[in-house]
Amino acid sequence: AAGVIQSPRHLIKEKRETATLKCYPIPRHDTVYWYQQGPGQDPQFLISFYEKMQSDKGSIPDRFSAQQFSDYHSELNMSSLELGDSALYFCASSSDRDSAGEQYFGPGTRLTVT
Amino acid sequence: GENVEQHPSTLSVQEGDSAVIKCTYSDSASNYFPWYKQELGKRPQLIIDIRSNVGEKKDQRIAVTLNKTAKHFSLHITETQPEDSAVYFCAASTGDSGAGSYQLTFGKGTKLSVIP
């Protein structure tokens, strides 16, 4: 079965640079959630989209923005990167219309800011 | 906002024994409680979930119980195997605004080690 795809898998950036993370949800899933997981930490919710509209916002810095496109893929844009942004970024997809909340995570993007 | 507490933070069991991980949540409106297994550097994998209209759910060696009155839920793994070793996260969600609003609040995780 098709899973969530994230790209790139690894990304190294310098402070103050920008980064774009991409997420391709499971086919026919209508919802995308973004989470940030620091080393040894639990995942923290950033933002979510349902049917291409932003649905909820969590602890996402103002330097970050995201959107979901017509093909349901989503991108997380991160600007003015800081050392503390180094983390694993997961995208999770869900069919909230059918199985509300049941989220399947992608493999993650490991972002390292130097 | 929701707060989820998880205990213990580490758990070591002998192969074949049972393991129990407990979580409490603060928001009585929470209605969805998944459990995730995460191996080092990999994605969280959904292993079982329970909704607030159910008290218990079982899937082979894994079971979850929910006590809405006490606002706690537990994961039970029987006949543990070395491949069960991982970090387990509980989570809670309210989803009260409809689709796209099932953001998960996670517990801090339990590192389970199954000793052969």
Side-chain angles (χ1 to χ4, degrees):
Chain A
V4 178
I5 297 171
Q6 289 188 248
S7 68
R9 295 292 308 279
H10 302 273
L11 193 55
I12 299 175
K13 292 286 185 178
E14 294 188 355
K15 277 183 5 179
R16 293 179 289 279
E17 285 192 320
T18 61
T20 296
L21 279 51
K22 296 184 178 182
C23 168
Y24 297 84
I26 293 170
R28 292 180 296 281
H29 276 195
D30 47 42
T31 310
V32 166
Y33 297 84
W34 284 96
Y35 294 88
Q36 177 193 59
Q37 186 176 30
Q41 305 292 313
D42 56 296
Q44 295 289 315
F45 169 70
L46 294 177
I47 195 167
S48 62
F49 293 87
Y50 171 67
E51 286 291 349
K52 295 158 279 185
M53 298 287 289
Q54 182 184 308
S55 49
D56 250 339
K57 216 170 179 181
S59 51
I60 184 169
D62 292 340
R63 300 177 288 108
F64 294 6
S65 64
Q67 55 184 323
Q68 187 177 31
F69 295 85
S70 58
D71 64 351
Y72 289 90
H73 95 271
S74 179
E75 294 184 5
L76 178 66
N77 300 293
M78 310 161 73
S79 63
S80 304
L81 287 169
E82 301 174 356
L83 296 178
D85 295 329
S86 296
L88 263 172
Y89 289 83
F90 289 105
C91 152
S93 82
S94 173
S95 178
D96 272 4
R97 191 170 33 237
D98 299 326
S99 303
E102 197 172 302
Q103 298 174 35
Y104 295 91
F105 282 68
T109 294
R110 182 174 296 280
L111 173 65
T112 303
V113 181
T114 62
Chain B
E2 174 71 279
N3 182 50
V4 177
E5 299 207 353
Q6 181 171 348
H7 299 281
S9 56
T10 60
L11 180 60
S12 290
V13 299
Q14 290 290 134
E15 182 178 357
D17 286 351
S18 296
V20 179
I21 303 171
K22 298 182 178 182
C23 289
T24 60
Y25 60 98
S26 61
D27 190 343
S28 56
S30 288
N31 54 19
Y32 177 66
F33 307 91
W35 286 87
Y36 285 85
K37 174 184 179 182
Q38 187 176 32
E39 297 175 14
L40 189 62
K42 298 197 173 178
R43 76 186 82 189
Q45 284 185 290
L46 178 65
I47 56 172
I48 196 167
D49 59 9
I50 192 166
R51 298 185 189 272
S52 57
N53 58 347
V54 175
E56 185 173 354
K57 185 176 178 180
K58 189 174 181 180
D59 182 5
Q60 299 184 326
R61 296 187 297 111
I62 295 173
V64 59
T65 58
L66 171 66
N67 183 326
K68 282 172 54 181
T69 304
K71 290 192 282 188
H72 69 69
F73 56 114
S74 301
L75 177 71
H76 304 251
I77 306 175
T78 59
E79 299 171 24
T80 53
Q81 301 166 4
E83 50 266 38
D84 294 330
S85 297
V87 177
Y88 289 80
F89 289 99
C90 63
S93 173
T94 58
D96 58 0
S97 302
S101 296
Y102 284 82
Q103 55 174 286
L104 297 176
T105 301
F106 287 85
K108 296 299 181 190
T110 296
K111 184 176 181 181
L112 174 65
S113 300
V114 180
I115 304 162

